[in-house]
């Protein structure tokens, strides 16, 4: 039941995310706060999602050197690659990349004396304490374009999960899979604009409240 409650919260957050298909003139790409990434050409005629070139990941300000661009290589038939999908609640990382990221996250938590515990459906959870919350780090996705970096804040990198035996836990809100899908929780407070004419994806930090102001 605790996991179901967490996912319901994610679904609510998804409603606040704005993903638009609008002309490039409205993308405000000239703003210094807007990052641009290229939308990759389709490999198959039936592709319905837009792929971007993910090349690296950082934990806080430190680039994870064991992460290699080929971990996100795209193949025909919908295999591999990286998409940004508000319909996926939590981010899925390609398995090889996930192992590297989880190891780095746990290594940092362990240095800060976190207690690792088990929660069904999550690969990494620690006992929730005020001290551990203060030490949570951010994570950044680096795209092929040098300045294109999507920063995930600590509160979107971990999710709180209740438990009867060990009390509340903080769980790493990503899972391993066959390809990388940047999900809804890791998109919160970010506006994405798809410019299909010029094959560009622009994104920038923007509070969700700006889209919900005045709504009863």
């Amino acid at each position: 039941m605790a996991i179901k409650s967490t996912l319901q919260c994610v679904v609510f957050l998804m409603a606040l995310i704005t993903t638009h298909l609008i002309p490039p003139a409205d993308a405000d790409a000239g703003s210094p706060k807007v990052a641009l990434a290229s939308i990759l050409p389709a490999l198959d005629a039936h592709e319905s999602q837009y792929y971007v070139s993910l090349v690296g990941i950082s934990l806080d300000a430190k680039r994870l050197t064991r992460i290699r661009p080929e971990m996100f290589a795209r193949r025909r038939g919908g295999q591999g690659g990286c998409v940004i999908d508000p319909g996926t609640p939590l981010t899925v990382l390609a398995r090889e990349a996930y192992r590297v990221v989880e190891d780095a996250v746990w290594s940092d938590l362990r240095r800060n004396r976190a207690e690792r515990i088990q929660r069904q459906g999550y690969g990494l959870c620690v006992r929730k304490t005020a001290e551990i919350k203060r030490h949570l780090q951010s994570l950044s996705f680096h795209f092929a374009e040098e300045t294109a970096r999507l920063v995930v804040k600590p509160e979107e990198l971990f999710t709180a999960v209740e438990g009867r035996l060990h009390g509340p836990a903080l769980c790493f809100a990503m899972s391993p899979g066959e390809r990388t899908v940047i999900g809804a929780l890791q998109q919160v407070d970010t506006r994405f604009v798809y410019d299909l004419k010029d094959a560009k994806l622009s994104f920038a930090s923007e509070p969700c409240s700006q889209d919900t102001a005045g709504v009863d």
Side-chain angles (χ1 to χ4, degrees):
M1 292 299 293
I3 293 177
K4 181 178 179 181
S5 176
T6 300
L7 292 178
Q8 286 175 338
C9 178
V10 172
V11 171
F12 171 73
L13 291 171
M14 285 167 56
L16 302 181
I17 297 166
T18 54
T19 303
H20 303 284
L21 295 173
I22 63 177
D26 294 329
D28 193 25
S31 169
K33 295 183 179 180
V34 175
L36 286 173
S38 296
I39 298 174
L40 301 177
L43 294 181
D44 298 296
H46 65 274
E47 279 187 359
S48 60
Q49 293 180 301
Y50 303 111
Y51 286 80
V52 290
S53 182
L54 181 63
V55 297
I57 296 175
S58 293
L59 185 61
D60 204 15
K62 185 178 180 181
R63 192 76 172 249
L64 300 180
T65 57
R66 291 169 57 201
I67 294 289
R68 306 183 309 278
E70 53 265 34
M71 292 177 176
F72 312 107
R74 184 172 163 223
R75 300 178 296 278
R76 292 186 181 276
Q79 299 297 310
C82 174
V83 298
I84 299 175
D85 179 24
T88 299
L90 303 179
T91 289
V92 178
L93 286 178
R95 295 185 189 281
E96 190 177 4
Y98 176 86
R99 287 193 291 268
V100 174
V101 174
E102 185 190 276
D103 285 349
V105 171
W106 169 235
S107 178
D108 178 73
L109 290 170
R110 185 170 50 191
R111 280 196 300 270
N112 289 291
R113 300 182 179 180
E115 178 187 354
R116 190 163 186 167
I117 57 180
Q118 298 296 318
R119 285 290 183 272
Q120 185 176 0
Y122 296 93
L124 171 61
C125 296
V126 297
R127 188 181 300 279
K128 181 181 178 181
T129 67
E131 181 67 17
I132 288 301
K133 286 184 67 176
R134 284 195 293 270
H135 288 288
L136 297 180
Q137 295 185 323
S138 62
L139 180 144
S140 297
F141 293 103
H142 298 271
F143 300 100
E145 295 73 13
E146 186 175 349
T147 59
R149 181 169 63 100
L150 177 62
V151 179
V152 179
K153 295 178 291 186
E155 53 267 37
E156 275 91 55
L157 191 58
F158 290 85
T159 186
V161 179
E162 296 295 329
R164 293 181 179 179
L165 294 179
H166 301 288
L170 291 171
C171 294
F172 183 50
M174 296 186 183
S175 62
E178 297 304 315
R179 66 171 181 168
T180 296
V181 182
I182 299 176
L185 182 59
Q186 286 72 42
Q187 297 178 39
V188 170
D189 284 341
T190 303
R191 181 181 293 275
F192 294 86
V193 178
Y194 291 83
D195 174 3
L196 301 184
K197 179 181 178 182
D198 292 329
K200 295 291 184 183
L201 169 65
S202 63
F203 55 92
S205 177
E206 180 178 312
C208 293
S209 58
Q210 292 187 17
D211 280 332
T212 57
V215 178
D216 294 329

